[in-house]
Amino acid sequence: MRRGLVPLALTALALLTSLGSASPTGAQPIARESLPPELRPWVPWVLDAVPGLGCPRVQGRPVCVWPGRLRLDLDGAGGRFALAVHSDRETSLRLPGTAQIWPQDVRVDGRAVPVFGKDGAPRVRLTPGRHQVSGRFAWSRLPESLALPSSIGLVELILDGRPVARPRREKGGLLWLRARTDEGSGDGEHIRLQVFRHIADGIPLFVETRLQLEVSGRAREVTFPAALLPDSAPVAVSGDLPARVEDGTLRVQVRGGRYAVRVLAR
């Protein structure tokens, strides 16, 4: 890098990172068009150096990838997976599997892509937008379990051609394939919902909405159009389940159990 360009790069980094990491009540990230022309060519370099810049924060951490439903069709020889996902920026997506159970023939929107390893997990690169990710597994015997990203809340599991009504998952995302899958109990799909709100008077006024959920039935996505009060803007979402606010509606990927989801808005 030429010496005269170093201050420009550092200036771009300082501008974008300081605004991108500001508190929810502070300034919003600066638009690329608002930067001086000399700094705009450095934006991709800055974005690569700060992976979470410009992404919503959940429980204090930036979340740039929002997985949808994962479909697994597996048997004793292997199987296939398919996942719908939305990416807020160019980033990497963790795939099902491990270094020992490596996904093969991985495709994004029908195009073959390279798979790389990070922290022992397979990953692919994604561009911003909505994508369909698919791939397959090959093994000589159905493994006892399969590692899944904990961010995936909806799993449709088919074993030997038969749907599993309630796949058994651990808190860290591990999916049990043999001997520990939950059989359907005949219970219907029900949600018992309690809503609590805490209002903090000030400028601006903040409202924290807490949803207490008791869920039975299969894993699925549910929406709560009234989770936000009229004319309020979401600031943060946290809780025990994958959730996000989209077009003013809270979308939560639920499964059987008791959970809490919190939405902070101003």
Side-chain angles (χ1 to χ4, degrees):
M1 183 183 297
R2 288 179 292 177
R3 181 177 300 177
L5 297 179
V6 172
L8 291 178
L10 295 178
T11 302
L13 179 63
L15 278 172
L16 291 175
T17 55
S18 62
L19 290 174
S21 60
S23 66
T25 59
Q28 296 299 310
I30 190 170
R32 183 181 302 202
E33 295 75 16
S34 301
L35 285 171
E38 295 83 0
L39 299 181
R40 294 174 191 171
W42 293 99
V43 170
W45 178 79
V46 172
L47 293 178
D48 188 64
V50 189
L53 186 66
C55 299
R57 303 186 73 85
V58 178
Q59 296 182 327
R61 297 183 301 172
V63 178
C64 304
V65 178
W66 303 88
R69 182 181 300 273
L70 171 65
R71 188 177 193 274
L72 292 165
D73 191 347
L74 309 175
D75 56 31
R80 305 197 66 85
F81 69 87
L83 174 66
V85 62
H86 176 84
S87 178
D88 289 327
R89 54 158 293 170
E90 184 174 346
T91 186
S92 66
L93 168 71
R94 181 183 168 185
L95 299 175
T98 61
Q100 292 73 35
I101 306 177
W102 195 259
Q104 304 177 26
D105 191 25
V106 176
R107 296 176 178 269
V108 175
D109 300 326
R111 301 178 60 181
V113 295
V115 180
F116 64 95
K118 183 178 180 182
D119 300 327
R123 291 177 176 267
V124 295
R125 296 292 298 182
L126 291 181
T127 56
R130 297 184 181 274
H131 303 284
Q132 292 289 331
V133 182
S134 62
R136 64 182 180 88
F137 294 106
W139 46 59
S140 58
R141 181 173 182 263
L142 184 70
E144 184 176 278
S145 60
L146 180 65
L148 303 182
S150 58
S151 58
I152 295 178
L154 301 179
V155 178
E156 178 185 353
L157 176 62
I158 300 174
L159 289 180
D160 296 321
R162 299 178 59 185
V164 177
R166 294 173 178 81
R168 173 70 177 271
R169 294 186 68 189
E170 301 292 345
K171 187 175 182 180
L174 188 70
L175 172 69
W176 291 95
L177 302 178
R178 290 194 291 117
R180 297 192 62 177
T181 52
D182 292 343
E183 297 297 334
S185 61
D187 295 337
E189 295 179 0
H190 302 285
I191 295 181
R192 182 174 183 269
L193 172 66
Q194 292 180 291
V195 180
F196 306 89
R197 283 194 167 101
H198 175 263
I199 299 177
D201 195 9
I203 303 176
L205 183 144
F206 280 88
V207 179
E208 180 179 349
T209 302
R210 180 184 178 94
L211 287 76
Q212 295 282 121
L213 303 169
E214 292 186 20
V215 184
S216 63
R218 63 183 178 87
R220 58 202 185 273
E221 182 177 89
V222 295
T223 59
F224 300 97
L228 293 176
L229 294 179
D231 300 322
S232 63
V235 174
V237 179
S238 61
D240 306 319
L241 294 167
R244 70 178 300 183
V245 175
E246 191 174 80
D247 298 328
T249 297
L250 177 65
R251 312 179 73 92
V252 185
Q253 297 179 2
V254 303
R255 55 185 183 271
R258 297 183 179 183
Y259 309 97
V261 176
R262 292 170 292 276
V263 181
L264 179 64
R266 59 178 174 84

